[in-house]
Amino acid sequence: MSIKKTWLQVGLSAVLLGFSGTLLAQTMTVYKSESCGCCNDWIDHIREAGIQVEAVDLIHLNRKKQELGMPPQLASCHTAVIEGYLIEGHVPAADIKRLLSERPKITGLAVPGMPHGSPGMETGRVDAYQVLSFDVKTQQQSVWSEYNTQ
């Protein structure tokens, strides 16, 4: 085997390892209650968007939310972490992908409560809702996106 061919294989291996590292970095950890069906439906929505998910069922979910620094006024039924960002509630996958693309200096995104019509809450009723960006350091919140506003 020539030295040139060996270096080419090493370089290709490094590129492939770097690419797979990027894919693995987008694994989302979702903390939820074992019995929550809408959380499972939201996880299906996230997986269908191509984001890997590790679901963790917790008995003391609120304790985990506090540990992560999730503001109680933004609470919903599940909390996720991806690449250092918090994702609270039924945030659409498109908003999460935008977050990971733009990488703003915020703590994360939240859909407070459990609005009907949001991913995982497809009940036949459709409510208007907002995805909020938030930063726990500055106590700032703003509207990231809006849905079903007519």
Side-chain angles (χ1 to χ4, degrees):
M1 183 180 298
S2 74
I3 292 177
K4 196 177 210 178
K5 187 174 180 181
T6 302
W7 279 110
L8 180 62
Q9 288 175 332
V10 168
L12 183 58
S13 295
V15 167
L16 290 175
L17 281 173
F19 180 71
S20 67
T22 299
L23 290 178
L24 289 175
Q26 288 196 4
T27 298
M28 176 185 287
T29 303
V30 179
Y31 301 99
K32 65 182 198 64
S33 298
E34 181 178 6
S35 61
C36 187
C38 69
C39 293
N40 293 328
D41 291 344
W42 180 77
I43 288 170
D44 290 343
H45 165 76
I46 297 302
R47 285 181 173 144
E48 288 168 8
I51 299 172
Q52 295 180 10
V53 175
E54 176 192 355
V56 179
D57 294 329
L58 296 175
I59 294 170
H60 302 291
L61 183 56
N62 285 333
R63 188 179 302 160
K64 185 64 175 181
K65 289 175 186 283
Q66 289 173 346
E67 177 185 306
L68 292 170
M70 191 70 233
Q73 69 273 19
L74 299 178
S76 185
C77 57
H78 55 267
T79 302
V81 179
I82 185 166
E83 296 192 16
Y85 290 106
L86 291 179
I87 307 295
E88 180 69 12
H90 295 266
V91 176
D95 290 306
I96 297 167
K97 287 183 169 187
R98 177 179 154 209
L99 174 74
L100 296 176
S101 173
E102 294 179 9
R103 299 212 177 269
K105 293 185 181 197
I106 60 172
T107 303
L109 301 176
V111 173
M114 299 167 63
H116 294 268
S118 61
M121 288 294 296
E122 295 90 354
T123 62
R125 187 173 110 195
V126 178
D127 297 335
Y129 69 95
Q130 296 178 329
V131 176
L132 302 175
S133 65
F134 66 96
D135 186 6
V136 296
K137 290 178 187 171
T138 64
Q139 302 294 308
Q140 298 277 329
Q141 291 181 23
S142 63
V143 176
W144 181 266
S145 60
E146 295 181 287
Y147 292 88
N148 310 323
T149 57
Q150 287 4 23

